[in-house]
Amino acid sequence: MFPKNSLEKLAPINTACLMILAASAATWVLVYTKTVLMPFVIALFISMVAGTLAGWLKQKWKVPYGLGLVLSFIAFLAIIALSVLFISGSIESFVAGADIYAERLNDTLDWLLLEAQKYGINMNAQFLADTVDKLPVFNMVKSVGSTLVSILTNLMLITLFVIFIFMGKASAEKPSFVGNIQKQISFYLLIKIFVSLLAAGFTWIVLASVKTELASMLAVLTFVLNFIPNIGPFISTMLPMPVLFLQYGLDWHILLALILLTTIHFIIGNILETKWLGKGMDLDPLVVIACLIFWALVWGIMGALLAVPMTAIVKMVLERNETTKPLADLLGGKYAFK
């Protein structure tokens, strides 16, 4: 038998080992049940936002809570349908102009070869031309098309989950802890949806003003990518540059679009969003990046989109228990190195 003092010293180690095992098992479950669990989580977040909007409609205009839920979900479906239509139209436009893109790319390569020769750099022109000809343009388009089908399939599953969740919402009343989670997460999601719509709208205006092809699809991608903290706005700023390069080459169109898009994302992300969200989900910036990587590895791009609210829920749950509260403090940056 171990002495009592030895057992007390081993208790923290045992707790840590159990938590590591539990986290490993939970990660395995998340990966294994991804096909069903991910649509359910999305439906749960939609129901949170819909519940908040329904409560607001009831308070503001005396709309019955159940009707408010239905109207909120219809608005969500309308946004998804419009996004799919915009992307489909952009893909058709891209397919129609695929030969023109290839021709422009060949012209650009010829220009690069001439510039390289001026500086004494010899490049294999035939190899570059063959590489361009073998670019999997149509395979990429087919991949995007299959992604659209996957979105529609998941949308039906999400809709089913939302209906069942709504059936359990007989009223707006909820336990205090559940209500607190819904309040914080729905507030965060509503602000993110609004600022993402702003970013997408202004992006479309900028790209349309310089007559950018695929402007609608790039605007929709901006809306989606804006949910990924830090990295998303940067990617959405740089995405239109290759398209503009193929259209106009290296001229003022690229410079103007780059300056305007950078300004838009800076104002929306660092001024408006910071002002409206305040401390946001009370997560340390380094923790946000680490969780972004983790959820992206577990659930792919959708995991990256849901990384912040998922981590915030984990933090709120950990705060409820004294044993796991130090982990919640760590997620909040309270143990950050000085």
Side-chain angles (χ1 to χ4, degrees):
M1 298 290 293
F2 290 102
K4 186 176 180 181
N5 291 338
S6 299
L7 291 175
E8 290 178 354
K9 291 179 180 179
L10 289 173
I13 298 175
N14 291 336
T15 303
C17 291
L18 287 173
M19 290 177 69
I20 291 171
L21 289 173
S24 301
T27 303
W28 181 84
V29 171
L30 288 171
V31 174
Y32 186 75
T33 60
K34 171 183 175 181
T35 305
V36 175
L37 190 58
M38 188 167 60
F40 175 75
V41 171
I42 296 171
L44 196 59
F45 285 145
I46 292 171
S47 69
M48 288 181 182
V49 174
T52 300
L53 289 174
W56 180 77
L57 289 172
K58 182 179 180 181
Q59 182 180 4
K60 188 79 174 175
W61 288 307
K62 307 300 181 184
V63 177
Y65 186 73
L67 179 60
L69 289 176
V70 174
L71 291 175
S72 301
F73 186 59
I74 290 174
F76 164 77
L77 290 177
I79 292 174
I80 294 294
L82 288 173
S83 300
V84 172
L85 286 174
F86 276 134
I87 293 176
S88 300
S90 296
I91 290 174
E92 289 178 5
S93 174
F94 179 80
V95 171
D99 293 335
I100 298 174
Y101 279 117
E103 185 179 344
R104 289 173 183 167
L105 190 55
N106 282 322
D107 292 340
T108 302
L109 288 175
D110 291 337
W111 175 79
L112 287 174
L113 288 171
L114 290 173
E115 291 297 315
Q117 288 175 3
K118 290 180 182 178
Y119 294 97
I121 302 173
N122 293 320
M123 302 175 70
N124 191 329
Q126 186 60 43
F127 173 76
L128 291 176
D130 291 340
T131 302
V132 171
D133 291 336
K134 293 177 182 178
L135 285 175
V137 175
F138 289 101
N139 288 336
M140 291 170 63
V141 172
K142 289 178 182 178
S143 175
V144 175
S146 63
T147 303
L148 285 174
V149 173
S150 175
I151 290 173
L152 292 174
T153 304
N154 284 328
L155 185 60
M156 289 187 287
L157 189 58
I158 291 168
T159 303
L160 184 63
F161 282 137
V162 169
I163 291 171
F164 280 108
I165 293 172
F166 282 176
M167 288 171 65
K169 290 190 173 188
S171 69
E173 309 241 343
K174 290 178 184 60
S176 58
F177 178 60
V178 176
N180 185 44
I181 289 179
Q182 174 174 322
K183 182 180 177 181
Q184 292 191 42
I185 298 300
S186 60
F187 176 73
Y188 170 82
L189 290 174
L190 282 169
I191 295 297
K192 287 298 290 185
I193 289 171
F194 182 68
V195 297
S196 297
L197 284 172
L198 277 179
F202 283 116
T203 297
W204 183 85
I205 291 171
V206 169
L207 296 179
S209 64
V210 292
K211 299 181 180 179
T212 309
E213 297 177 15
L214 305 178
S216 298
M217 186 172 73
L218 291 169
V220 172
L221 289 175
T222 297
F223 173 79
V224 174
L225 289 170
N226 203 62
F227 283 85
I228 303 177
N230 305 321
I231 301 172
F234 173 76
I235 296 175
S236 60
T237 301
M238 300 309 297
L239 269 179
M241 299 307 124
V243 179
L244 288 168
F245 178 72
L246 287 174
Q247 281 188 245
Y248 302 109
L250 291 173
D251 69 351
W252 63 270
H253 291 87
I254 290 182
L255 184 61
L256 178 63
L258 184 60
I259 292 173
L260 291 176
L261 292 178
T262 302
T263 304
I264 288 168
H265 284 292
F266 177 81
I267 293 174
I268 291 176
N270 294 283
I271 298 178
L272 296 181
E273 188 174 333
T274 302
K275 180 181 178 181
W276 292 333
L277 276 179
K279 292 181 69 179
M281 295 286 96
D282 196 22
L283 297 172
D284 186 78
L286 290 177
V287 170
V288 171
I289 296 298
C291 292
L292 179 65
I293 296 171
F294 169 79
W295 287 108
L297 290 173
V298 172
W299 280 357
I301 185 65
M302 191 55 68
L305 297 175
L306 301 175
V308 173
M310 290 286 289
T311 306
I313 291 176
V314 171
K315 178 177 178 291
M316 284 185 265
V317 172
L318 293 175
E319 285 175 338
R320 300 273 293 177
N321 190 291
E322 286 297 323
T323 304
T324 57
K325 194 173 184 301
L327 288 176
D329 293 335
L330 183 63
L331 292 177
K334 294 182 181 180
Y335 293 160
F337 294 103
K338 303 293 183 183

